[in-house]
Structures are given as C-alpha cells and as structure tokens.
Amino acid sequence: MEHDSSSRSGYHEPKPGRTGHADDEEDWDNSENTPGKPYSVNLIWAQARDTHGRDGAIGFEGSMPWHLSEDLRRFKELTISHPVIMGRKTWESLQERYRPLSNRDNIVVSRQPDYRAAGATVVGDFEAAMDLARQESIPDDGMDRTEIWVIGGAQLFDDVISQADKAYVTQIDAQVAADTYAPDIQDLVDSGRWFIVDSGAWQTPRKADGVVRRFRFVNYQKAN
C-alpha cells in the first residue's frame, strides 16, 4: 500500500435521469446487464509466503510485513484517478497522514453503522460501494470510473473475487510472519476459472529491506 499525501472528498450526486435505472436501452451495458458505462472490477495486492511456507500472506497484525517501494509505486500508478474500495481495517492500517489516498475516490466498507472515515465515503456493503464508485460526480471530479479498484483487506477480497474481472498481484520472494491471506489465485488458475495475462520477470529491489529477496508482477483475468 502506498503512502501519499493530500486529500479529496468522495461526494456524489446523481445526474438527472440516471438514478440507478436506465432511461433507454442505450444506457445499458448488455454484457453485464447493468446500467451505465462498461467497467472493470480490479483487485490488487502483494503477497509472500508465511513462516510455514503457505503462499498468499498479505499482512501481519494490521500491517504489511515488508517494505517494497516498487510495489507502492505500481499501486499508485494503477489506482490513481480511479475509485478505490477498501474495508475498514485496511483504511485504519493507513497512517493517518496518508489517508485518504490522494486523487482517488476513497470508499470504505464497514458494517458499523456509525463509522466515520474523514475524507472517504463509508457504506455498509460492497454493493453500495459499487453503486457509489460507478456514479458520476457532480461537479465532475475527474475520476475514471471504467476501472474500480478493490485494495483490501482479506475479507473483502474473499467476498468480491467472484465479481472481479482482474487481479494485479505482486509476488514477493520472502518468508514472513502472517495472519492475513489473499484468495488462492493459483487455485483459480489451476481450475480454469482465471488465467495469467502477464507474468513479469523476477526483479531485485533497489533498496533492500532485509525481508524481500526479489519480486515480480503477475496480472490475472477471470475466464469468460
């Protein structure tokens, strides 16, 4: 997860004639049978192995057990100017001075009815988050809503992976203490439900953190 500064508010107001129901057939994306422009739901995470050799480790005690600047840079480049959806614990894992993530529409999913997240919009479930992420803002906030990014945590990934279109995974060659895990993306590939679009070469971090030996970027897509 990146660390960056500045903030914006996720304020939305429905446009006239676009209140969640299409006014005519041209307002519908027939492939998804949903109103509005076509869009992609993208998951993004970095994962390593835990101390027992289990793959998919993404966190320990509320934070990432490594620091990899190349991964943080990629995260920012991919998600900038798009809506980002996250769970409450992921929001709270961001250092206060770095939230909300700048130049993105920050949407936090929490089952706590009175939960507040300054600079973000809080909703009760993923469906509400998607409705908000897809809704054009008035005035125009410059967000590109053709890609909606789900950035964590583990429970949200598990809940929405069946609705996701793509996953952008940083594979980290490291063994770390972990208590939080990503979905088993390799199992989805092995079963034919997802496939690898692109697998980058292994790279060595420019700055060693004593944990990460090497890393690579692997992009996945759901099979149609």
Side-chain angles (χ1 to χ4, degrees):
M1 191 70 61
E2 87 185 72
H3 288 166
D4 63 3
S5 59
S6 80
S7 66
R8 63 173 303 280
S9 175
Y11 170 72
H12 298 258
E13 180 179 320
K15 288 186 177 181
R18 298 299 298 277
T19 58
H21 299 279
D23 299 316
D24 54 54
E25 292 180 354
E26 293 181 356
D27 281 337
W28 288 78
D29 169 21
N30 292 328
S31 63
E32 297 292 339
N33 199 32
T34 52
K37 300 176 182 178
Y39 62 91
S40 173
V41 177
N42 304 334
L43 312 182
I44 185 168
W45 71 78
Q47 65 178 42
R49 301 181 310 279
D50 70 11
T51 53
H52 302 289
R54 176 183 171 182
D55 206 5
I58 61 174
F60 182 64
E61 295 182 347
S63 64
M64 289 189 298
W66 57 75
H67 179 82
L68 181 60
S69 59
E70 290 91 342
D71 175 57
L72 302 178
R73 188 179 307 112
R74 181 185 191 234
F75 173 86
K76 183 174 183 178
E77 289 173 352
L78 288 172
T79 62
I80 201 77
S81 299
H82 297 283
V84 292
I85 300 174
M86 71 196 85
R88 174 183 58 82
K89 291 182 180 179
T90 296
W91 170 263
E92 292 175 351
S93 73
L94 301 173
Q95 294 185 39
E96 188 172 355
R97 69 179 184 274
Y98 298 129
R99 66 190 190 210
L101 296 174
S102 65
N103 299 312
R104 276 147 287 191
D105 195 355
N106 289 232
I107 303 170
V108 178
V109 178
S110 174
R111 293 187 178 91
Q112 299 180 12
D114 298 326
Y115 188 75
R116 297 291 182 269
T121 304
V122 180
V123 296
D125 54 44
F126 182 68
E127 288 70 24
M130 284 298 301
D131 286 344
L132 186 64
R134 291 162 51 203
Q135 179 65 62
E136 299 293 341
S137 178
I138 300 176
D140 183 11
D141 57 7
M143 291 293 108
D144 178 358
R145 302 182 186 280
T146 62
E147 290 187 342
I148 298 168
W149 292 85
V150 179
I151 66 172
Q155 184 63 59
L156 191 58
F157 285 145
D158 286 339
D159 289 345
V160 309
I161 193 166
S162 63
Q163 304 176 54
D165 302 293
K166 301 175 184 177
Y168 293 75
V169 178
T170 302
Q171 292 186 344
I172 293 175
D173 184 9
Q175 201 161 10
V176 299
D179 55 18
T180 310
Y181 297 84
D184 189 342
I185 193 74
Q186 186 58 49
D187 179 65
L188 295 173
V189 171
D190 292 342
S191 67
R193 288 174 286 177
W194 286 64
F195 62 94
I196 296 174
V197 176
D198 180 63
S199 182
W202 287 102
Q203 305 176 53
T204 302
R206 284 188 293 177
K207 290 186 178 181
D209 66 350
V211 177
V212 180
R213 291 185 285 271
R214 57 181 186 162
F215 67 93
R216 66 176 178 177
F217 301 130
V218 183
N219 302 335
Y220 301 83
Q221 186 169 319
K222 181 185 291 182
N224 293 323

